[in-house]
Amino acid sequence: MLEDMTSTNCKSKKSSWDVAASDMARNTFNPIRNIVDNMKIDPHPDKELIALSIGDPTVFGNLTPAENIVDAVVHAVKTGSANGYGPSVGYLEAREAIARSYSEPSAPIDAKDIILTSGCSGAIELVISVLANPGQNCLIPCPGFSIYETIALSLGIDVRRYDLLPEKDWEADIEHMESVIDENTAFIVVNDPSNPCGSVYSKEHLQEILAVAERNKLPIMSDEIYADFVFPGEKYYNLASLTTEVPILACGGLTKRYLCPGWRTGWIIIHDRNNVFEKEVRSGLLRLSQRILGPNTLVQAAMKNILEETPHSFFEKTIEVVRDNAQLCYSRIKDIAGLKPVMPRGAMYMMIGINLKNYPDFKDDVEFTCKLISEQSVLCLPGQCFKYPNFFRVVLTLPKERIEEACTRIAEFCKQHYVLANGDA
């Protein structure tokens, strides 16, 4: 008996180190990082780099949080009221403040419908984790924010893309959306207003999307990090306010509208319909939230003040800066032969199409943007980062003079490389 145990123990011992990464780690892949890290980003030595690639509205220094937002967090620090661990779903007072701010007569919510997370990306991870199993799939927009795919694939969940139509201000191709649904589809992702497109959907179009979800009995993950971040004259519709049938998990946060992405405070709003989420999803989200000890407690303590005391003029000023930059960039780029910008209606981005027939020096949008960096020191993200080739994305939160200079350099770059293609006038 002793010999058998000794033999078994010997067999279990390894003769050398062999520590493998997990399947999740091996399956984790960020398309943006993969493309950008392999780009030759060597700016022109005589021109200062202008980064139209960074989706952080605070890095240029021209957009900062409102004074009351900063004061509220400083107060939380000085009083020491939020130094300890918070509940995994977040402080009750913070959840009540979110519920008051985002509840609507046609989509009422209260504190039990809110789960605080580490940024909106943390909310997205929890929602994908609770709605699908390995081997299932989810529908994501194309072009779309890369994190949906990164998280899903790391969990063994496949992604299927539904097309957005640039000629229709990036509306979803409803027919195509429905055609990619199968028996393994677990949910649909909707991002409105959109990164990378800057689109803002009409009420009628959102109702078309909801009709697809209702016909196929699929819940929706609604990425609403740019909720209310729309230009003057446009209207933002809360997706959940337009349906009594489709259950929705909405992902939001302070990141963009309140100009504090580094504070990592997001949330999930559970918009249940007919108790669809009551059976397992609501409790599943609670269990998933307990894997970590919750998001930033200092910001949670300041949440009521942030949501209820920030003046409307603060939001108007931010949107005015982005809208003015969008109009400036669009007016300059639309006159450049071989480029076709799509004017955004909200968020912080613009997508610009490239007619590569006019730019034969470049095989694709990645090569186009690489050369734009090396020759003009203007950094944009190629469309392939969003699975949408022959476009590039620009960020619109820079100071106006930097936008103007970037447009001048892009025009100079295109003038040097443009050739007349067959069929051009």
Side-chain angles (χ1 to χ4, degrees):
M1 184 69 171
L2 183 59
E3 290 179 358
D4 290 343
M5 291 178 62
T6 303
S7 175
T8 300
N9 289 339
C10 288
K11 289 180 180 177
S12 68
K13 293 180 179 178
K14 297 178 181 178
S15 60
S16 62
W17 287 97
D18 183 16
V19 182
S22 67
D23 289 343
M24 178 182 286
R26 284 194 296 267
N27 291 336
T28 299
F29 174 79
N30 187 316
I32 292 181
R33 292 272 31 112
N34 181 64
I35 291 172
V36 172
D37 289 348
N38 285 294
M39 291 172 65
K40 295 180 179 179
I41 304 178
D42 296 315
H44 192 287
D46 298 328
K47 295 185 177 183
E48 181 183 356
L49 179 68
I50 302 177
L52 300 180
S53 58
I54 306 171
D56 180 344
T58 69
V59 297
F60 308 105
N62 57 319
L63 297 174
T64 57
E67 185 176 357
N68 72 289
I69 296 175
V70 176
D71 289 345
V73 175
V74 170
H75 178 74
V77 174
K78 288 185 173 180
T79 60
S81 61
N83 288 341
Y85 294 127
S88 66
V89 294
Y91 287 158
L92 176 60
E93 183 183 64
R95 290 184 287 121
E96 288 175 337
I98 295 167
R100 284 192 298 271
S101 296
Y102 289 90
S103 188
E104 296 188 21
S106 57
I109 52 174
D110 57 32
K112 70 176 175 56
D113 301 312
I114 310 297
I115 295 177
L116 281 153
T117 61
S118 181
C120 187
S121 57
I124 290 169
E125 181 182 26
L126 286 188
V127 170
I128 293 175
S129 298
V130 82
L131 288 181
N133 286 312
Q136 291 186 289
N137 66 71
C138 61
L139 269 55
I140 64 174
C142 182
F145 185 35
S146 65
I147 199 170
Y148 311 138
E149 178 180 16
T150 297
I151 293 172
L153 294 183
S154 75
L155 296 170
I157 300 162
D158 194 14
V159 295
R160 295 188 168 199
R161 293 179 172 80
Y162 63 88
D163 292 337
L164 305 183
L165 305 171
E167 67 274 16
K168 291 188 175 182
D169 291 327
W170 300 110
E171 285 190 350
D173 184 332
I174 296 297
E175 184 176 344
H176 184 245
M177 174 188 284
E178 195 145 24
S179 74
V180 296
I181 294 171
D182 69 6
E183 66 276 6
N184 290 319
T185 302
F187 63 95
I188 301 171
V189 176
V190 177
N191 177 209
D192 175 52
S194 162
N195 173 16
C197 303
S199 55
V200 178
Y201 289 157
S202 67
K203 180 179 180 180
E204 293 73 22
H205 186 57
L206 291 171
Q207 288 171 330
E208 289 181 315
I209 294 172
L210 287 165
V212 173
E214 184 175 348
R215 281 194 298 272
N216 292 276
K217 301 298 181 283
L218 292 173
I220 288 177
M221 183 185 86
S222 182
D223 181 352
E224 300 176 359
I225 192 60
Y226 294 99
D228 295 307
F229 204 122
V230 300
F231 298 165
E234 303 294 336
K235 182 172 175 57
Y236 169 74
Y237 291 93
N238 176 351
L239 186 62
S241 72
L242 304 178
T243 180
T244 59
E245 297 297 326
V246 180
I248 295 170
L249 295 178
C251 302
L254 299 178
T255 298
K256 308 296 185 176
R257 194 162 185 250
Y258 292 87
L259 303 178
C260 51
W263 294 3
R264 308 313 300 139
T265 308
W267 53 74
I268 300 167
I269 301 178
I270 303 170
H271 295 284
D272 201 359
R273 296 293 180 267
N274 305 311
N275 292 321
V276 171
F277 287 149
E278 200 62 36
K279 182 179 179 182
E280 289 192 341
V281 170
R282 189 183 290 271
S283 60
L285 283 169
L286 173 61
R287 289 192 295 271
L288 287 170
S289 75
Q290 294 168 348
R291 291 187 301 173
I292 60 173
L293 293 172
N296 191 321
T297 54
L298 296 173
V299 182
Q300 288 187 60
M303 186 70 73
K304 183 177 184 294
N305 184 293
I306 292 171
L307 294 180
E308 298 178 2
E309 302 299 328
T310 302
H312 190 66
S313 58
F314 165 75
F315 305 118
E316 290 179 331
K317 178 183 176 183
T318 303
I319 290 172
E320 181 182 351
V321 168
V322 178
R323 187 273 317 271
D324 288 352
N325 281 344
Q327 291 177 337
L328 170 63
C329 187
Y330 179 81
S331 66
R332 293 285 302 275
I333 300 297
K334 72 179 178 61
D335 292 331
I336 299 175
L339 297 187
K340 189 174 183 179
V342 182
M343 179 65 189
R345 298 185 177 192
M348 310 184 320
Y349 313 99
M350 178 186 294
M351 288 285 278
I352 300 171
I354 312 166
N355 187 345
L356 288 174
K357 291 182 179 179
N358 297 125
Y359 297 99
D361 290 345
F362 315 115
K363 67 177 182 180
D364 57 21
D365 52 293
V366 174
E367 199 167 283
F368 181 98
T369 51
C370 281
K371 282 293 185 180
L372 184 58
I373 299 167
S374 63
E375 295 183 14
Q376 294 293 340
S377 294
V378 175
L379 174 56
C380 305
L381 286 185
Q384 289 186 42
C385 288
F386 311 99
K387 302 298 182 181
Y388 211 77
N390 302 336
F391 274 76
F392 63 95
R393 189 197 74 173
V394 299
V395 172
L396 301 167
T397 53
L398 287 75
K400 180 181 177 181
E401 60 272 15
R402 304 304 288 159
I403 293 285
E404 289 180 326
E405 175 63 20
C407 289
T408 297
R409 295 187 192 178
I410 292 171
E412 181 180 335
F413 173 81
C414 290
K415 183 178 180 180
Q416 291 172 345
H417 292 281
Y418 177 84
V419 298
L420 203 63
N422 290 335
D424 288 342

